Amino acid sequence: MSTPAFRVRITAKDLLTPSICRFELRAVDGAPLPTFTVGAHLTVHTPGGPTRSYSLTGEPAERDRYVIAVAREDSGRGGSVSLLDDTAVGDELLVSAPSNSFELVPSPRYLLIAGGIGITPIRAMFRQLRRHGSEVRLVYLTRSPEQTAFLDEFTVDDDAVVLHHSGAGRLDLWPFLAEPRDDTRIYCCGPEALLADVRALTMHWRPSRVHVEDFTGVSGTDGTASPFRATWRPTGRTVEVPADRTLLDALREAAIDVPSSCESGTCGTCRVRLFAGAAEHRDLVLDDEQRSRYLMPCVSRAATEWVEIGPDSGTGDDYPARTDNA
């Protein structure tokens, strides 16, 4: 279900590194903010136009503010550049309530692995687990001390923290992952190269024990894509989706409004209901049970010639079933 957007004010903005900026956001009307759990992200409508999702790195118990940290990506699609260059303390932003596809699952032990800006959700997890007395170890990888967000927090003498800078050489993760343990859950967030390493080094682990947050995402228009048709159940409008276009693009061109953010299958903002037909799921958000009922139109496609979809109402009962495939 899409969540109504609301306005927040930037009450603090400061650089953690030359390229990473911390934002403190508070409700414009002073009301308590919607709750969130560690691992959640906040969808932000940037001044430049792009809508992007950023992990919340603050404390869930703090209902008066959200804290995010944004890395400037000059080669990206403009969201981070707009937030860093086009905002100032006192400005207002439109945001949607937090959503979490990277939730902590109860476990006797945790291994947290963060690379670069991937520390944002991992930091919140680490702080909460330590506060609750959980057994946790953190491996935090960055390029240099100067490029390390929250450096002071992780340079303390703490056996639970491994802070490594690539300038000193590449850290071998195998000693941390060699022995699969059913009493340990791994959470990893960072660049694709790090996620690929962790996936490769945990092939002998139970898949349910390894959780990754992928900021890079996947493609919905690679060389394996096939054309299909999609019917929007509320209106009966059918759109053609060529092999070189995403379903989300086709819906937009037909003036069908579907909220979106990452557009890479990683945040879950654009989720729609799947009423008929079969989906070719390419996202990194839905679990096996959800995939029978939902579809991420930014990257996922149809495995059949036709699918019927509609808004994520939360129940699937908002619109009567159609009997035609037109």
Side-chain angles (χ1 to χ4, degrees), residues 59-111:
E59 298 290 341
E62 295 178 343
R63 296 291 307 281
D64 61 332
R65 67 171 185 167
Y66 291 145
V67 179
I68 60 174
V70 179
R72 184 187 186 92
E73 298 287 351
D74 290 318
S75 60
R77 291 177 292 161
S80 65
V81 173
S82 177
L83 269 182
L84 269 64
D85 291 356
D86 301 336
T87 64
V89 172
D91 289 351
E92 294 182 10
L93 294 171
L94 189 66
V95 303
S96 297
S99 177
N100 200 340
S101 57
F102 194 47
E103 280 196 272
L104 273 179
V105 177
S107 179
R109 296 180 178 84
Y110 297 87
L111 172 62

Side-chain angles (χ1 to χ4, degrees), residues 101 218 220 228 246-248 251 258-259 262 264-274 279-287 290-291 293-302 309 312:
S101 57
V218 293
F228 63 97
T246 67
L247 173 55
L248 182 61
L251 293 172
V258 175
C262 72
S264 60
T266 63
C267 75
T269 302
C270 66
R271 189 175 81 172
V272 296
R273 279 297 307 269
L274 177 64
E280 178 190 311
H281 294 287
R282 300 185 175 203
D283 67 276
L284 302 170
V285 177
L286 298 177
D287 59 30
Q290 292 172 322
R291 289 188 168 199
R293 298 180 291 122
Y294 298 104
L295 172 70
M296 294 298 179
C298 64
V299 294
S300 295
R301 306 183 67 81
I309 58 175
D312 177 14

Side-chain angles (χ1 to χ4, degrees), residues 227-277:
F228 63 97
R229 293 176 297 124
T231 298
W232 187 248
R233 177 176 277 207
T235 63
R237 174 79 181 272
T238 295
V239 298
E240 300 288 336
V241 186
D244 62 349
R245 301 290 285 170
T246 67
L247 173 55
L248 182 61
D249 286 337
L251 293 172
R252 284 174 174 161
E253 290 170 1
I256 297 172
D257 183 29
V258 175
S260 65
S261 178
C262 72
E263 299 189 20
S264 60
T266 63
C267 75
T269 302
C270 66
R271 189 175 81 172
V272 296
R273 279 297 307 269
L274 177 64
F275 294 102

Side-chain angles (χ1 to χ4, degrees), residues 17-264:
T17 77
S19 61
I20 298 176
C21 187
R22 171 187 171 275
F23 291 81
E24 179 184 272
L25 310 172
R26 299 178 186 266
V28 168
D29 60 5
L33 294 164
T35 59
F36 72 94
T37 52
V38 294
H41 62 262
L42 184 71
T43 300
V44 180
H45 301 256
T46 66
T51 302
R52 298 291 179 261
S53 295
Y54 300 100
S55 294
L56 287 157
T57 194
E59 298 290 341
E62 295 178 343
R63 296 291 307 281
D64 61 332
R65 67 171 185 167
Y66 291 145
V67 179
I68 60 174
V70 179
R72 184 187 186 92
E73 298 287 351
D74 290 318
S75 60
R77 291 177 292 161
S80 65
V81 173
S82 177
L83 269 182
L84 269 64
D85 291 356
D86 301 336
T87 64
V89 172
D91 289 351
E92 294 182 10
L93 294 171
L94 189 66
V95 303
S96 297
S99 177
N100 200 340
S101 57
F102 194 47
E103 280 196 272
L104 273 179
V105 177
S107 179
R109 296 180 178 84
Y110 297 87
L111 172 62
L112 310 180
I113 304 174
I117 193 60
I119 190 61
T120 49
I122 297 297
R123 172 183 181 251
M125 291 179 176
F126 183 72
R127 288 157 64 99
Q128 176 170 296
L129 291 171
R130 291 296 295 271
R131 186 167 55 250
H132 292 170
S134 302
E135 186 172 335
V136 57
R137 194 170 196 191
L138 167 65
V139 178
Y140 182 16
L141 311 174
T142 70
R143 293 178 180 175
S144 67
E146 295 73 26
Q147 295 173 293
T148 302
F150 308 108
L151 177 65
D152 292 345
E153 294 182 23
F154 301 112
T155 52
V156 296
D157 184 14
D158 189 340
D159 291 340
V161 177
V162 176
L163 176 61
H164 182 83
H165 309 300
S166 58
R170 185 174 180 274
L171 179 67
D172 183 6
L173 292 174
W174 180 247
F176 301 96
L177 304 171
E179 181 184 353
R181 301 184 58 161
D182 284 344
D183 66 349
T184 300
R185 288 189 180 270
I186 298 170
Y187 284 80
C188 178
C189 185
E192 180 55 36
L194 173 62
L195 302 186
D197 280 349
V198 170
R199 289 189 183 105
L201 294 172
T202 56
M203 291 293 290
H204 57 306
W205 284 66
R206 289 174 58 190
S208 62
R209 297 292 163 180
V210 182
H211 311 261
V212 299
E213 177 88 308
D214 191 332
F215 288 151
T216 303
V218 293
S219 172
T221 56
D222 60 19
T224 66
S226 299
F228 63 97
R229 293 176 297 124
T231 298
W232 187 248
R233 177 176 277 207
T235 63
R237 174 79 181 272
T238 295
V239 298
E240 300 288 336
V241 186
D244 62 349
R245 301 290 285 170
T246 67
L247 173 55
L248 182 61
D249 286 337
L251 293 172
R252 284 174 174 161
E253 290 170 1
I256 297 172
D257 183 29
V258 175
S260 65
S261 178
C262 72
E263 299 189 20
S264 60

